[in-house]
Amino acid sequence: MYYYCTNYFDLPTVSIIILNYNTFALTCKCIATVIEFTKGVSYEIILVDNCSTKDNANDFLLHFPNITLIKSPANKGFANGNNLGIAAAKGEFILLLNSDCYLIDD
């Protein structure tokens, strides 16, 4: 998890929840831009894999070891996947970010 906070006991301000279903490359680019362009706010990235069949969800952790990965045992749709991420969120605010979105600035 990315906690860019002032001390160890702070919780992230924003929980960024990204839902993935068979979009490994798109999702990796999305996560990379969040890490590159998010400045001045503490955040965590929660990736929910909605039971992808093309790629191994654990591969995300090879590229981004500090994210929280939740692997859904079944694809129950967009809302259910995001609800899994929200249940794990520790931030004051929730950002539901589609995996095909990229940040271009802070």
Side-chain angles (χ1 to χ4, degrees):
M1 248 170 271
Y2 290 92
Y3 288 142
Y4 294 106
C5 302
T6 56
N7 68 54
Y8 179 76
F9 298 104
D10 286 343
L11 293 177
T13 302
V14 181
S15 295
I16 303 169
I17 299 167
I18 303 168
L19 187 62
N20 173 66
Y21 179 72
N22 290 333
T23 56
F24 184 81
L26 282 172
T27 304
C28 283
K29 185 173 181 183
C30 176
I31 294 169
T33 64
V34 168
I35 294 167
E36 180 179 358
F37 292 113
T38 304
K39 308 291 184 217
V41 64
S42 61
Y43 67 93
E44 65 178 341
I45 297 173
I46 300 171
L47 175 63
V48 178
D49 184 75
N50 219 359
C51 202
S52 292
T53 57
K54 292 184 179 178
D55 297 296
N56 183 345
N58 291 326
D59 288 347
F60 285 107
L61 295 174
L62 297 174
H63 297 278
F64 310 103
N66 293 325
I67 66 171
T68 298
L69 174 64
I70 299 172
K71 296 186 288 186
S72 178
N75 185 343
K76 295 185 179 180
F78 183 78
N80 185 270
N82 280 307
N83 284 337
L84 289 173
I86 290 168
K90 296 176 181 69
E92 181 179 357
F93 301 100
I94 303 288
L95 170 62
L96 303 178
L97 184 63
N98 287 351
S99 63
D100 62 348
C101 292
Y102 312 123
L103 278 65
I104 58 171
D105 202 344
D106 180 21

